[in-house]
């Protein structure tokens, strides 16, 4: 049976892989953040991302490099990748929005929608469902939303100030930008040449009700790899999931 939504789903993506990862030192002393391996997997973060994108129907990826770009490019050239990869390097800092615009200019199908993901995100959920959500809402941009766990234990109290329960690392009540996106073709033209799109383009689209938020389904795996502790926790969680 033919899937009526298949034609509107992106088959191209941008991975933003230029961050310095200063909080992940010493792991990032000799490699960019997306090249840090998740313990026990033998594969860098970006390798997991490219495999996930391929599983979700993506065929072409533009990787935006920056810090220690040659290390990342060398690995991409030597690895057996499941997608076609093009790398771009900013010759001067353009900011997050400018960098995204520069990378998008190298996508093979500028008139088609595209995914984007930050290079330090390790996740698994259905990008096909997210793309359909984006189309159904006639959005220009759709952000994946996550509820990360608070890194501390929490307490519950009653109306008299008595502690009634302890909850270890509960999910936050707020949804956050999970660093995974679906963009319509016209989004690239709205990005600044320099600067941060999250302070310019996103607020503009939000005012027009053209910015959508896709909650990552409950039970799906998501983690931003920012610190050495995140690497350790990711390894434990992946072992528990049997991956």
């Amino acid at each position: 049976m033919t899937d009526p939504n298949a034609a509107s789903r992106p088959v191209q993506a941008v991975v933003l892989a230029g961050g310095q990862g200063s909080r992940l030192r010493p792991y990032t002393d000799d490699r960019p953040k997306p090249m840090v391996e998740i313990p026990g997997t033998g594969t860098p973060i970006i390798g997991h991302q490219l495999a996930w994108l391929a599983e979700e129907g993506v065929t072409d990826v533009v990787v935006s490099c920056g810090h220690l770009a040659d290390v990342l490019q060398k690995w991409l050239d030597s690895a057996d990748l499941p997608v076609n990869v093009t790398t771009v390097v900013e010759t001067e800092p353009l900011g997050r929005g400018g960098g995204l615009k520069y990378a998008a200019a190298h996508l093979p199908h500028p008139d088609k929608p595209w995914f984007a993901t930050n290079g330090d995100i390790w996740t698994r959920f259905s990008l096909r469902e997210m793309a359909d959500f984006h189309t159904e809402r006639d959005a220009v941009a759709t952000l994946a939303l996550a509820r990360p766990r608070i890194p501390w234990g929490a307490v519950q109290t009653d109306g008299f100030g008595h502690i009634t329960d302890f909850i270890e690392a509960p999910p936050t009540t707020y949804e956050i930008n999970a660093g995974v996106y679906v963009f319509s073709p016209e989004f690239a033209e709205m990005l600044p040449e320099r600067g941060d799109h999250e302070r310019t383009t996103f607020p503009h689209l939000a005012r027009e009700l053209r910015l959508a938020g896709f909650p990552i389904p409950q039970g799906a795996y998501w983690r931003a790899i920012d610190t050495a502790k995140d690497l350790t926790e990711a390894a434990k969680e992946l072992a528990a999931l049997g991956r």
Side-chain angles (χ1 to χ4, degrees):
M1 187 173 178
T2 304
D3 186 342
N5 296 319
S8 63
R9 293 175 187 147
V11 295
Q12 55 186 356
V14 168
V15 175
L16 297 171
Q20 294 195 11
S22 56
R23 289 196 293 165
L24 260 176
R25 288 176 177 160
Y27 296 100
T28 49
D29 283 345
D30 61 353
R31 68 195 65 190
K33 199 176 183 182
M35 278 300 299
V36 174
E37 291 184 7
I38 296 176
T41 70
T43 303
I45 298 167
I46 194 168
H48 293 286
Q49 290 185 321
L50 295 176
W52 173 49
L53 290 168
E55 290 166 8
E56 294 294 325
V58 171
T59 58
D60 293 271
V61 177
V62 176
V63 178
S64 178
C65 309
H67 176 65
L68 296 174
D70 57 325
V71 177
L72 178 52
Q73 288 174 315
K74 185 176 180 181
W75 182 82
L76 291 169
D77 288 342
S78 63
D80 182 17
L81 302 176
V83 291
N84 300 315
V85 172
T86 301
T87 59
V88 297
V89 183
E90 294 178 32
T91 54
E92 55 183 325
L94 300 174
R96 290 192 296 179
L100 192 59
K101 188 182 186 80
Y102 180 67
H106 294 78
L107 287 167
H109 310 291
D111 59 336
K112 301 288 187 182
W114 44 295
F115 293 116
T117 180
N118 295 343
D120 57 356
I121 301 298
W122 170 217
T123 187
R124 281 292 189 278
F125 64 89
S126 174
L127 286 174
R128 291 180 174 91
E129 288 183 10
M130 185 177 173
D132 294 347
F133 181 96
H134 172 83
T135 301
E136 288 162 6
R137 280 148 188 82
D138 193 28
V140 173
T142 297
L143 287 61
L145 304 177
R147 290 184 185 270
R149 292 193 171 274
I150 298 170
W152 308 283
V155 296
Q156 283 186 337
T157 59
D158 62 18
F160 299 98
H162 301 118
I163 291 175
T164 58
D165 199 4
F166 290 88
I167 307 168
E168 185 62 32
T172 176
T173 56
Y174 292 99
E175 292 177 311
I176 68 162
N177 179 352
V180 181
Y181 312 90
V182 184
F183 297 132
S184 295
E186 63 267 34
F187 179 76
E189 299 170 10
M190 300 177 179
L191 287 165
E193 296 289 339
R194 294 174 182 271
D196 189 347
H197 60 294
E198 295 193 13
R199 296 178 182 274
T200 54
T201 313
F202 279 175
H204 172 74
L205 289 173
R207 287 191 294 271
E208 295 186 341
L209 300 182
R210 303 295 301 279
L211 184 67
F214 174 78
I216 293 177
Q218 189 171 5
Y221 186 80
W222 180 88
R223 179 176 283 276
I225 308 297
D226 289 321
T227 66
K229 184 179 179 183
D230 289 325
L231 282 175
T232 304
E233 293 297 320
K236 288 180 186 175
E237 290 160 356
L238 292 176
L241 291 169
R243 293 179 181 172

